[in-house]
């Protein structure tokens, strides 16, 4: 299929683009997708820089300027609108490659822990709203990507907003992770092992629940209240439903049991 690449022009996505051109550029059509959030005065020049790189590699580039509300949760809204843009372009005609790496994985773990949302590791391969997503760098330290590009002629974009500590992810990246690494130098690899095991368990659950369709008999649920909640949680997550809260599942189970 056609390979679409989420391309910001930064270090990570540039390493991904160069790698894909080198490895599968002769056998697959590559198309870069650049989401311009318009929040920086440099955003237009960044889009131009991405176009210059893509032209030099003979790769098609599609740019879309997103409308982001200044009073919103900027990180969350940009992420959602970026995926909408990807889905709108790709439809069913290709697969999406993203440059998430091991350091991103660790940051996401911390974010979810602090928000009380549970730990759902990013996988090498996943689906989102029918979109097939691959993350080939998810087990690689970002330092390897920097080394990979060291001897190329390409320059990557450094977004100054990545140093803004008012954003939670930036605080984790620039303050928390270095402090932890100073005390436990190999903590990233330790987290990676835990994430790998959790991802294996998630894969097993998805495999287990493949046998259930969109309608499930109540008799399939465990008898205990808490186990019903856990079963339903695993079932919905195996089908991509990560937004359901524990309290909502608890209320659903309570109504099931009271209804007899």
């Amino acid at each position: 299929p056609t390979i679409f690449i989420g391309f910001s022009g930064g270090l990570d996505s540039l390493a991904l683009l160069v790698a894909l051109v080198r490895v599968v550029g002769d056998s697959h059509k590559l198309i870069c997708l650049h989401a311009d959030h318009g929040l920086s005065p440099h955003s237009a020049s960044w889009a131009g820089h991405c176009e210059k790189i893509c032209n030099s590699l003979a790769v098609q580039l599609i740019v879309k300027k997103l409308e982001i509300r200044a009073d919103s949760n900027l990180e969350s809204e940009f992420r959602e609108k970026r995926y909408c843009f990807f889905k709108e372009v790709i439809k069913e005609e290709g697969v999406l490659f993203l440059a998430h790496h091991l350091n991103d994985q660790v940051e996401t773990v911390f974010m979810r822990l602090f928000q009380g949302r549970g730990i759902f590791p990013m996988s090498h391969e996943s689906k989102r709203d029918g979109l097939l997503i691959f993350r080939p760098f998810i087990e690689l330290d970002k330092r390897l990507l920097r080394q990979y590009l060291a001897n190329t002629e390409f320059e990557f974009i450094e977004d100054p907003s990545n140093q803004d500590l008012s954003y939670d992810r930036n605080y984790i990246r620039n303050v928390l992770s270095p402090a932890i690494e100073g005390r436990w130098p190999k903590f990233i690899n330790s987290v990676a092992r835990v994430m790998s095991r959790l991802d294996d368990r998630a894969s097993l659950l998805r495999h287990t629940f493949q046998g259930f369709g969109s309608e499930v008999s109540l008799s399939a649920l465990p008898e205990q209240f808490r186990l019903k909640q856990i079963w339903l949680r695993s079932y919905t997550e195996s089908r991509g439903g990560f937004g359901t809260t524990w309290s909502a599942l608890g209320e659903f189970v309570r109504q099931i049991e009271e209804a007899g």
Side-chain angles (χ1 to χ4, degrees):
T2 298
I3 294 176
F4 293 85
I5 305 156
F7 186 54
S8 69
L11 167 67
D12 312 337
S13 61
L14 178 57
L16 177 61
L17 173 59
V18 171
L20 284 169
V21 169
R22 288 176 174 175
V23 176
V24 297
D26 292 334
S27 57
H28 288 263
K29 182 178 181 180
L30 304 178
I31 300 177
C32 283
L33 304 178
H34 178 77
D36 178 359
H37 53 54
L39 298 174
S40 167
H42 306 292
S43 61
S45 65
W46 290 340
H49 182 73
C50 290
E51 185 175 9
K52 184 178 177 181
I53 291 174
C54 288
N55 287 340
S56 71
L57 292 170
V59 173
Q60 181 182 349
L61 174 69
I62 299 175
V63 178
K64 178 164 183 176
K65 188 163 185 178
L66 307 180
E67 298 294 330
I68 307 292
R69 294 179 295 111
D71 61 342
S72 66
N73 180 329
L74 297 179
E75 291 174 281
S76 176
E77 184 169 5
F78 175 59
R79 184 170 57 251
E80 290 302 317
K81 291 197 172 179
R82 183 168 170 255
Y83 272 108
C84 287
F85 162 46
F86 293 160
K87 179 66 176 173
E88 173 187 304
V89 174
I90 297 172
K91 299 183 175 68
E92 305 299 328
E93 301 170 9
V95 296
L96 175 65
F97 274 64
L98 298 177
H100 292 123
H101 47 72
L102 180 56
N103 307 69
D104 292 323
Q105 180 83 286
V106 171
E107 291 166 13
T108 300
V109 168
F110 283 139
M111 289 277 288
R112 290 184 174 277
L113 279 174
F114 298 150
Q115 294 167 353
R117 296 167 57 198
I119 301 175
F120 305 112
M122 291 184 286
S123 302
H124 281 97
E125 178 184 336
S126 63
K127 276 190 175 183
R128 175 170 176 156
D129 297 328
L131 191 61
L132 188 58
I133 301 171
F134 291 95
R135 300 179 181 87
F137 293 164
I138 200 63
E139 292 183 354
L140 299 184
D141 192 305
K142 182 169 185 169
R143 286 171 287 199
L144 289 176
L145 307 186
R146 192 176 295 276
Q147 292 170 16
Y148 180 65
L149 290 178
N151 297 318
T152 68
E153 72 275 22
F154 300 110
E155 295 183 3
F156 53 85
I157 294 167
E158 293 274 14
D159 187 346
S161 70
N162 288 336
Q163 305 302 316
D164 184 350
L165 300 184
S166 66
Y167 294 110
D168 291 340
R169 187 174 287 274
N170 287 348
Y171 183 84
I172 292 170
R173 178 181 303 151
N174 297 310
V175 178
L176 185 60
S177 289
I180 295 174
E181 192 170 17
R183 180 66 179 257
W184 295 282
K186 296 182 179 180
F187 94 97
I188 286 183
N189 293 326
S190 299
V191 173
R193 287 195 296 272
V194 174
M195 290 299 97
S196 179
R197 288 196 290 270
L198 286 174
D199 192 37
D200 289 342
R201 291 178 184 177
S203 297
L204 177 60
L205 284 173
R206 285 192 294 270
H207 174 76
T208 300
F209 284 108
Q210 277 180 356
F212 294 91
S214 296
E215 295 185 8
V216 179
S217 170
L218 292 180
S219 62
L221 303 185
E223 290 187 9
Q224 296 180 12
F225 187 98
R226 180 66 172 171
L227 290 181
K228 277 192 177 75
Q229 269 186 297
I230 295 171
W231 195 100
L232 289 165
R233 174 67 129 196
S234 300
Y235 170 78
T236 54
E237 287 175 0
S238 73
R239 302 171 70 83
F242 294 98
T244 311
T245 64
W246 277 108
S247 58
L249 286 171
E251 175 61 16
F252 181 59
V253 172
R254 184 190 66 77
Q255 292 186 25
I256 288 174
E257 294 194 342
E258 288 192 1

